[in-house]
């Protein structure tokens, strides 16, 4: 099992971010990603990646009913998102102007 998001693809990281908001069933994850990408997300791309994230212990899969699974971040998944954000922000915030823009984004989403 990995200890963070470092070996994940951008698509897998985006799945984690979608699930960070709240647990969702597969088609709800698909819709969120389609809104972000501005194009259709193929089932053949989404579900194998969800399964990989479950296998890595970053996402938990549970059955809502006989046909629908729900996906939620595990504690390790939350830590993977934090790890990725921390690394990216540590590289990105190179000056006061960028730091202020990040503070504005955080404040707008509180």
């Amino acid at each position: 099992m990995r200890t963070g998001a470092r070996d994940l693809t951008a698509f897998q990281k985006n799945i984690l971010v979608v699930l960070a908001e709240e647990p969702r069933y597969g088609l709800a994850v698909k819709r969120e990603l389609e809104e972000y990408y501005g194009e259709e997300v193929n089932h053949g791309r989404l579900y194998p990646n969800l399964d990989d994230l479950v296998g890595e212990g970053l996402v938990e899969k549970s059955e809502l009913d006989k046909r629908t699974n729900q996906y939620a971040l595990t504690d390790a998944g939350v830590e993977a998102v934090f790890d990725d954000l921390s690394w990216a922000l540590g590289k990105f915030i190179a000056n006061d102007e960028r730091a202020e823009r990040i503070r504005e984004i955080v404040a707008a989403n509180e």
Side-chain angles (χ1 to χ4, degrees), residues 13-43:
K13 290 177 186 183
N14 290 339
I15 291 171
L16 295 181
V17 169
V18 166
L19 293 174
E21 185 176 32
E22 65 184 359
R24 298 177 193 270
Y25 60 97
L27 287 177
V29 174
K30 181 179 183 297
R31 281 194 289 268
E32 285 286 329
L33 292 170
E34 287 174 340
E35 185 177 317
Y36 175 71
Y37 287 113
E39 62 185 44
E40 183 179 354
V41 171
N42 184 305
H43 282 81

Side-chain angles (χ1 to χ4, degrees), residues 1-103:
M1 184 182 313
R2 295 181 195 135
T3 57
R6 295 171 187 179
D7 294 327
L8 299 178
T9 66
F11 186 74
Q12 290 170 326
K13 290 177 186 183
N14 290 339
I15 291 171
L16 295 181
V17 169
V18 166
L19 293 174
E21 185 176 32
E22 65 184 359
R24 298 177 193 270
Y25 60 97
L27 287 177
V29 174
K30 181 179 183 297
R31 281 194 289 268
E32 285 286 329
L33 292 170
E34 287 174 340
E35 185 177 317
Y36 175 71
Y37 287 113
E39 62 185 44
E40 183 179 354
V41 171
N42 184 305
H43 282 81
R45 181 179 185 199
L46 175 63
Y47 289 100
N49 278 285
L50 279 166
D51 288 340
D52 288 346
L53 293 168
V54 169
E56 292 293 336
L58 301 173
V59 171
E60 180 179 73
K61 179 167 114 175
S62 60
E63 196 174 274
L64 282 177
D65 59 43
K66 298 262 187 229
R67 298 178 48 202
T68 307
N69 291 315
Q70 178 169 282
Y71 299 89
L73 283 187
T74 63
D75 290 343
V78 170
E79 289 305 313
V81 173
F82 275 126
D83 181 59
D84 193 50
L85 287 170
S86 177
W87 185 83
L89 288 172
K91 299 296 182 192
F92 182 75
I93 300 174
N95 58 49
D96 290 341
E97 181 182 334
R98 288 183 181 180
E100 182 56 32
R101 287 183 68 187
I102 295 298
R103 281 191 284 277

